[in-house]
Amino acid sequence: MTYDRNHVVLSVRDLSVTYQAERGRVRAASHVSFDLHAGETLALIGESGCGKTTLNLALIRQLPKTARTSGDGVIYTYRDGRQADILKFSDREMRRYLWSECSMVFQGALNSLNPIIRVSDMVYDTAKAHGIGRDEAHKRALRLLEQVRLDPARVMRSYPHELSGGMRQRVLLAVSLLLRPQIVIMDEPTTAVDILTQRSILDVLKQLREELNFSVIFISHDLAVAAEIADTVATMYAGEIVEIGPVNEVFYRSRHAYTLSLLNAAPRLSAGAETLESIPGKPPDLIDPPSGCKFHERCAFAREVCSQTPPPLITYDDEHQASCYETERVLAQSEVTRKVAAP
Amino acid sequence: MSAIPADPPHATKAHADAAPTLGQRLRRITRSYLFRVLLSGLITIWAVTTFTFVLIRQMPGNPVDIKIDQMMQTQNLTYEEALRAAATLFNFDPDRPILLQYTDFWSDLLRGDLGASITRTGVSVSSIILRYLPWTLFCVGLSLLVSFSLGILIGLAMGYWRGSWFDNLMTTIASILSGLPDYIIGLLIIVIFGVQLRWFDIGSVRGGVDPTIEAGFTLEYIGSIISFATMPVLIYVLSTIGTWILSMKSSTLSTLGEDYIAVAKARGLSEQRILMGYIGRNAMLPLITRLAISVGLVVSGTVIIEEMFQYPGLGRNLFIAIAGRDYTTMQGIFLVITIAVVFSNIFADFVIGWLDPRVRVADGETAQ
Ligand SMILES: Nc1ncnc2c1ncn2[C@@H]1O[C@H](COP(=O)(O)OP(=O)(O)O)[C@@H](O)[C@H]1O
Ligand code: SF4
Ligand SMILES: [Mg+2]
């Protein structure tokens, strides 16, 4: 996919989120910055517990009450060129923004539908909250359901329990586009479904993207899926974006040791590499994160400085950014491994 | 997906056939959901009725013994005198075998006759029920309506704004109320508001209506009925609302954690729509079965509250019948209660099916 690199729809600046938990403050997202362009698909990868969901809920301000968000701003650019900082929205402005500018397909979509109302009522509810009439909503919904390859009339009449998991997932995708948002956030949309459903959801998503040209933030810990769908990939570790760049850069010329480890641990992408290496240990406790580079305890490249000073985020060619002291060694190894793997 | 598969040829022919045979019709009826539910309801009613029939005769004493005791104490009669008097008073033979009493009961019942009261000579059981049931239906029905709807709303608000001062205050109040039995609440109200504060005159709230007012559809008469029902309704509501509040709150809390609530918020729905259409309706579902039991028990009245205020309801009559071992009256009232409970449960199944499509029952043919 190509996208317009001069047209930023969402500019996230130094965003941090902490949860107030009983054991202390959880730093679930720290100093996150990135730009999302019109028509761009950004994949967020990283192990479970790295803060991907937290970051995205912060972007639509739907975090639980125990969360505190801070930062320099989340600047949204409307279609007419107007700009606004989402963090400064009143509740009413936020409600208007939600879904009509930025919608979300939540993780665990199977329970995302109210079990006691029909799909059509879910559609009307959504439309009504944003001042769109029933007829218009109905028309749009029929068209979208067709685009996600469902039987529109039948699905509109159905209750959630009458639909299979894959069908529900596609209903959610259709409803997420009902108000024609510029941004759709999708949190692990292919995780809980079988491989065929996953295939069809990806195909549908690609096609819709062609036709409607929205931007996507796509969370996945399935790297093969991310590789297929993304323009840009961002690796998150312990609440930070440690590497971000065009998909081929990040996957074939990785500059952060964590991204490289993730790739070596991914069955379908590391095919050809001698061994499948899982990453030792697990992501750190975010109440008391490690000093220096948060990955140093698990990193095969780590040297002394890694545990003392956090590595700065450095920009390399083609807007490829990474924060790693051993970026050259990582890059060299990445190129060797991927050369074997690539066709 | 939705395409209707083409019928195989023989099936088409069967459809085209003229009217179904009697056998087919019968089979369709017996397979229908309603039929099965009604049948099991009738069996339940029969079983409970038989059980209570036997059980009430196992209580110590019988109507004649009890009357003899009373007469010996109140009128200073000897045992023989009292026995003779009691035997002429009641048309009841305590020595008749229980099996014959049972067949008498059913042969009367099948003719729609609940028999005559044993202790109230010349009064039929059905006339007692017809006379007192409306009072109970009005008083307890109104109480339940108030208690349930108020309890649901308060519990919903507490769950939604959990941790607020309102939640904390109401949790305390509801816990205390749900722990107090109705007679304690009744006594407290009478003592505090009637005796200490003199907000109302204790004497004037006994009964169901002011006997000096002529019965009829007049404002005065209806006003009097309402004013006499106030105290019993208040006490019933106070003694039952705590449980409704606490169960609705906990049900609301678990509903709030559901994904579809988070999604509804993210869709920008108004708070009111989320609260009523998404949280409220879902949170209410688990309470419907309990509501059905309460609705069924409305006819049994509230024995203690009715006795306390001399309210002319069925509960008080049941109390009197039990005290006097008036078997026939007890049987009649228990039968009415059983029927009400069984039918309100059947009704509840349909209400739940209406509110919750996941358990929606298909009448007639099996659901696809
Ligand atoms: N409501 C919460 N309260 C406290 N900690 C939380 C809460 N939600 C998530 N976390 C913590 O924040 C971190 C990031 O979680 P999450 O955003 O769900 O990660 P991911 O989506 O990448 O799996 C984890 O350490 C998790 O335990
Ligand atoms: S900075 Fe050091 S510890 Fe961190 S990923 Fe790079 S080499 Fe490993
Ligand atoms: Mg997640």
Side-chain angles (χ1 to χ4, degrees):
Chain A
M1 279 278 298
T2 51
Y3 60 91
D4 184 355
R5 290 201 179 198
N6 297 318
H7 183 174
V8 175
V9 271
L10 195 71
S11 177
V12 179
R13 286 292 157 257
D14 201 33
L15 186 68
S16 300
V17 178
T18 59
Y19 291 108
Q20 193 61 53
E22 263 165 45
R23 286 172 44 240
R25 276 166 38 142
V26 185
R27 292 160 209 279
S30 311
H31 308 290
V32 172
S33 299
F34 65 88
D35 285 338
L36 181 71
H37 303 83
E40 178 183 9
T41 297
L42 167 70
L44 271 181
I45 61 173
E47 290 159 287
S48 199
C50 283
K52 305 182 297 294
T53 300
T54 301
L55 172 61
N56 283 297
L57 289 177
L59 297 182
I60 52 170
R61 296 216 344 223
Q62 295 295 305
L63 287 163
K65 288 202 183 87
T66 53
R68 289 283 164 276
T69 308
S70 61
D72 292 347
V74 176
I75 312 299
Y76 177 75
T77 308
Y78 287 87
R79 284 201 175 79
D80 61 10
R82 222 166 16 102
Q83 293 195 320
D85 185 352
I86 290 163
L87 299 183
K88 297 209 174 79
F89 275 162
S90 69
D91 285 355
R92 260 193 78 203
E93 287 170 320
M94 195 61 220
R95 261 214 301 279
R96 213 175 309 145
Y97 172 80
L98 284 171
W99 226 257
S100 54
E101 305 296 336
C102 176
S103 63
M104 181 156 178
V105 177
F106 281 74
Q107 190 167 1
L110 295 193
N111 305 319
S112 287
L113 296 161
N114 184 349
I116 58 174
I117 67 172
R118 293 175 200 273
V119 170
S120 56
D121 286 322
M122 176 183 179
V123 166
Y124 302 148
D125 273 352
T126 312
K128 191 177 164 211
H130 296 272
I132 294 171
R134 239 177 136 90
D135 291 344
E136 171 67 13
H138 190 80
K139 242 186 359 221
R140 284 191 195 183
L142 289 184
R143 172 91 185 96
L144 282 165
L145 288 170
E146 204 178 293
Q147 280 169 301
V148 298
R149 298 174 202 169
L150 290 170
D151 174 350
R154 190 184 89 109
V155 168
M156 280 292 263
R157 262 186 277 121
S158 299
Y159 287 100
H161 72 279
E162 296 165 339
L163 306 171
S164 70
M167 290 164 87
R168 276 185 246 182
Q169 187 65 276
R170 278 178 285 164
V171 166
L172 286 165
L173 184 55
V175 172
S176 75
L177 294 165
L178 185 71
L179 306 177
R180 300 179 182 150
Q182 289 199 88
I183 306 170
V184 180
I185 298 173
M186 305 183 76
D187 196 347
E188 315 243 6
T190 57
T191 301
V193 296
D194 62 84
I195 195 86
L196 280 175
T197 311
Q198 177 175 327
R199 183 74 262 143
S200 92
I201 289 170
L202 289 178
D203 289 345
V204 159
L205 177 60
K206 282 194 209 161
Q207 191 191 334
L208 284 168
R209 211 172 45 175
E210 296 279 333
E211 292 170 17
L212 303 171
N213 194 41
F214 46 90
S215 312
V216 181
I217 299 179
F218 191 95
I219 303 179
S220 181
H221 54 228
D222 185 337
L223 300 191
V225 169
E228 178 178 344
I229 200 109
D231 302 306
T232 308
V233 173
T235 311
M236 268 193 99
Y237 188 73
E240 295 169 349
I241 289 187
V242 293
E243 179 166 12
I244 182 169
V247 57
N248 289 328
E249 277 286 315
V250 174
F251 277 7
Y252 293 100
R253 295 166 46 80
S254 311
R255 284 183 170 275
H256 195 286
Y258 179 60
T259 311
L260 187 65
S261 312
L262 278 178
L263 288 164
N264 288 340
R268 278 189 278 164
L269 285 173
S270 55
E274 296 88 86
T275 44
L276 193 65
E277 293 164 44
S278 62
I279 314 172
K282 54 180 188 345
D285 180 7
L286 296 179
I287 290 180
D288 185 20
S291 59
C293 172
K294 288 174 182 164
F295 187 54
H296 79 258
E297 288 164 343
R298 306 168 72 192
C299 182
F301 295 85
R303 51 191 174 93
E304 209 172 329
V305 62
C306 298
S307 60
Q308 289 156 0
T309 324
L313 192 68
I314 296 173
T315 307
Y316 303 91
D317 350 312
D318 202 15
E319 293 180 33
H320 186 172
Q321 299 179 306
S323 57
C324 176
Y325 289 121
E326 289 292 340
T327 183
E328 295 307 328
R329 275 173 65 207
V330 171
L331 176 62
Q333 199 184 359
S334 166
E335 285 181 320
V336 170
T337 320
R338 295 308 136 205
K339 208 166 281 156
V340 185
Chain B
M1 236 172 306
S2 74
I4 299 156
D7 279 340
H10 62 273
T12 321
K13 215 179 283 162
H15 270 289
D17 269 353
T21 66
L22 185 66
Q24 278 172 335
R25 261 194 213 156
L26 273 178
R27 208 171 319 133
R28 189 168 303 165
I29 291 174
T30 52
R31 262 208 240 127
S32 84
Y33 175 77
L34 191 65
F35 177 82
R36 276 180 286 135
V37 163
L38 285 178
L39 188 69
S40 81
L42 287 178
I43 292 173
T44 310
I45 291 170
W46 168 79
V48 172
T49 306
T50 305
F51 185 67
T52 45
F53 186 93
V54 175
L55 205 68
I56 58 181
R57 283 168 175 74
Q58 303 307 312
M59 298 196 308
N62 63 48
V64 179
D65 289 345
I66 301 268
K67 190 72 191 173
I68 289 171
D69 276 356
Q70 276 177 10
M71 285 174 148
M72 283 165 59
Q73 271 165 28
T74 56
Q75 299 172 26
N76 258 328
L77 300 180
T78 64
Y79 182 77
E80 274 70 31
E81 287 167 333
L83 175 64
R84 227 172 302 128
T88 54
L89 265 179
F90 296 164
N91 107 62
F92 173 73
D93 174 9
D95 297 326
R96 190 166 166 81
I98 188 165
L99 201 63
L100 289 182
Q101 290 184 41
Y102 185 66
T103 50
D104 289 348
F105 169 67
W106 274 105
S107 70
D108 283 351
L109 187 61
L110 290 179
R111 275 184 278 114
D113 183 1
L114 288 172
S117 162
I118 295 175
T119 53
R120 276 179 258 184
T121 332
V123 180
S124 74
V125 172
S126 41
S127 76
I128 293 178
I129 291 172
L130 285 179
R131 173 153 176 223
Y132 296 105
L133 186 59
W135 292 96
T136 284
L137 284 183
F138 166 71
C139 175
V140 188
L142 180 68
S143 306
L144 180 60
L145 190 72
V146 172
S147 177
F148 181 76
S149 18
L150 212 59
I152 291 288
L153 285 178
I154 295 175
L156 178 62
M158 286 159 69
Y160 191 69
W161 288 288
R162 64 189 169 287
S164 62
W165 66 265
F166 176 74
D167 176 25
N168 294 331
L169 178 72
M170 288 312 295
T171 304
T172 316
I173 295 178
S175 311
I176 293 172
L177 284 179
S178 69
L180 288 178
D182 50 2
Y183 60 92
I184 299 278
I185 294 177
L187 284 175
L188 281 175
I189 287 196
I190 291 178
V191 169
I192 295 173
F193 298 105
V195 180
Q196 299 287 330
L197 299 172
R198 295 185 180 282
W199 284 7
F200 63 88
D201 177 14
I202 312 167
S204 73
V205 292
R206 289 172 162 247
V209 65
D210 187 343
T212 60
I213 300 172
E214 199 186 326
F217 263 107
T218 60
L219 218 56
E220 203 188 4
Y221 189 69
I222 293 171
S224 171
I225 289 180
I226 291 174
S227 104
F228 273 78
T230 307
M231 277 296 141
V233 168
L234 181 69
I235 292 166
Y236 178 93
V237 168
L238 286 176
S239 67
T240 53
I241 199 171
T243 322
W244 292 124
I245 290 177
L246 295 179
S247 357
M248 184 63 181
K249 180 191 165 184
S250 82
S251 184
T252 302
L253 287 181
S254 66
T255 308
L256 277 172
E258 297 285 352
D259 289 344
Y260 55 82
I261 303 297
V263 179
K265 282 187 189 148
R267 297 210 313 274
L269 300 201
S270 69
E271 198 164 21
Q272 188 197 340
R273 176 68 189 143
I274 293 177
L275 192 56
M276 292 321 218
Y278 285 66
I279 303 173
R281 247 185 89 186
N282 278 293
M284 223 175 82
L285 293 176
L287 276 71
I288 300 289
T289 319
R290 295 232 322 267
L291 175 65
I293 295 171
S294 298
V295 168
L297 288 175
V298 160
V299 299
S300 74
T302 52
V303 175
I304 287 165
I305 298 176
E306 285 179 13
E307 183 59 26
M308 193 175 271
F309 292 94
Q310 306 285 301
Y311 198 80
L314 215 52
R316 188 163 167 258
N317 279 277
L318 182 61
F319 182 74
I320 296 170
I322 292 174
R325 302 291 186 272
D326 186 348
Y327 296 153
T328 47
T329 306
M330 280 154 86
Q331 272 155 213
I333 296 179
F334 281 134
L335 179 68
V336 171
I337 295 172
T338 311
I339 292 175
V341 171
V342 164
F343 276 90
S344 64
N345 273 306
I346 293 177
F347 184 64
D349 280 347
F350 284 95
V351 172
I352 292 174
W354 175 63
L355 289 173
D356 186 352
R358 287 165 297 183
V359 297
R360 194 155 293 174
V361 287
D363 195 10
E365 307 299 305
T366 41
Q368 292 301 308

